[in-house]
């Protein structure tokens, strides 16, 4: 009888220990299963950061470099063209590529222009972006250029800097012929490079 009670007590004790061990093993399992989840959550921010890296906003800045065109991107490619034409009563006088009459200024005693400021507004210089070219009877050997104060290049023919007249509004106009302005006279120029006087 005493042996049976002792055995029953021992079995109950073993059952309690087993139950306690089972609880210990299950707690280890829960800690084991919960430990990966922080790692998974810590990995997710880095994964969220990678799309921002692949979205390379700096590459979108490269078009701004291409939108800076070189300062010469809009300028005409060649130099001015000077030809000869008949304008009103004048034959074989110098004109530009659009047929507008060109003039010399008697105050210019060398290839260097003396016409600036208000003078250059009334008598705009014939400028060129390259070597001027002769056409339609003009003489290429008489063409050259001179540097203006602003660094621009003005066309010179037979030693005379060439100008337009603001009063000429259409092709073939010669309204500036023999005008006296800014201290000297203005004349149309023939293909020889000389002033044309009178009727």
């Amino acid at each position: 009888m005493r042996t049976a009670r002792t055995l029953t007590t021992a079995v109950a004790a073993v059952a309690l220990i087993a139950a306690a061990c089972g609880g210990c093993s299950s707690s280890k399992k829960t800690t084991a299963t919960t430990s990966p989840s922080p790692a998974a959550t810590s990995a997710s921010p880095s994964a969220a950061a990678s799309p921002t890296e692949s979205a390379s906003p700096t590459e979108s800045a490269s078009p701004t470099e291409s939108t800076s065109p070189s300062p010469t991107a809009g300028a005409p490619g060649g130099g001015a063209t000077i030809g000869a034409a008949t304008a009103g009563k004048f034959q074989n006088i110098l004109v530009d590529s659009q047929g507008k009459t060109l003039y010399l200024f008697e105050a210019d005693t060398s290839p260097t222009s003396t016409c600036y400021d208000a003078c250059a507004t009334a008598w705009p210089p014939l400028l060129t972006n390259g070597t001027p070219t002769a056409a339609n009877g003009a003489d290429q050997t008489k063409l050259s250029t001179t540097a203006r104060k602003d660094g621009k290049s003005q066309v010179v023919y037979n030693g005379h800097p060439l100008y337009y007249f603001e009063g000429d509004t259409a092709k073939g106009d010669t309204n500036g012929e023999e005008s006296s302005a800014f201290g000297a006279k203005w004349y149309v120029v023939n293909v020889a490079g000389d002033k044309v006087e009178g009727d």
Side-chain angles (χ1 to χ4, degrees):
M1 185 95 177
R2 185 177 293 175
T3 306
R5 281 183 187 170
T6 302
L7 186 60
T8 303
T9 303
V11 169
V14 169
L16 283 171
I17 291 169
C21 278
C24 289
S25 64
S26 65
S27 68
K28 286 183 182 176
K29 285 180 186 177
T30 54
T31 54
T33 53
T34 54
S35 60
S37 62
T41 55
S42 66
S44 62
S46 63
S50 63
T52 58
E53 292 174 14
S54 63
S56 65
T58 54
E59 291 179 8
S60 65
S62 62
T64 58
E65 294 175 14
S66 64
T67 55
S68 56
S70 73
T72 60
T81 299
I82 293 84
T86 297
K89 61 185 178 181
F90 301 107
Q91 295 183 351
N92 294 320
I93 62 169
L94 299 183
V95 296
D96 72 357
S97 60
Q98 305 301 313
K100 291 197 73 176
T101 303
L102 298 168
Y103 298 84
L104 63 77
F105 184 32
E106 281 201 313
D108 292 339
T109 56
S110 75
T112 303
S113 173
T114 60
C115 181
Y116 287 93
D117 304 319
C119 177
T121 299
W123 301 87
L126 172 61
L127 302 177
T128 184
N129 288 316
T131 302
T133 303
N136 301 328
D139 188 344
Q140 183 70 43
T141 64
K142 295 183 184 299
L143 279 172
S144 60
T145 60
T146 185
R148 294 183 62 79
K149 291 178 183 177
D150 59 4
K152 293 180 181 177
S153 186
Q154 182 175 0
V155 177
V156 175
Y157 192 88
N158 195 36
H160 302 292
L162 298 179
Y163 305 86
Y164 296 103
F165 176 51
E166 67 172 350
D168 290 346
T169 57
K171 174 181 176 179
D173 283 353
T174 57
N175 298 318
E177 169 65 6
E178 292 195 270
S179 296
S180 290
F182 303 99
K185 282 197 167 185
W186 299 81
Y187 293 94
V188 297
V189 187
N190 62 24
V191 293
D194 300 320
K195 68 182 181 181
V196 178
E197 297 183 84
D199 295 329

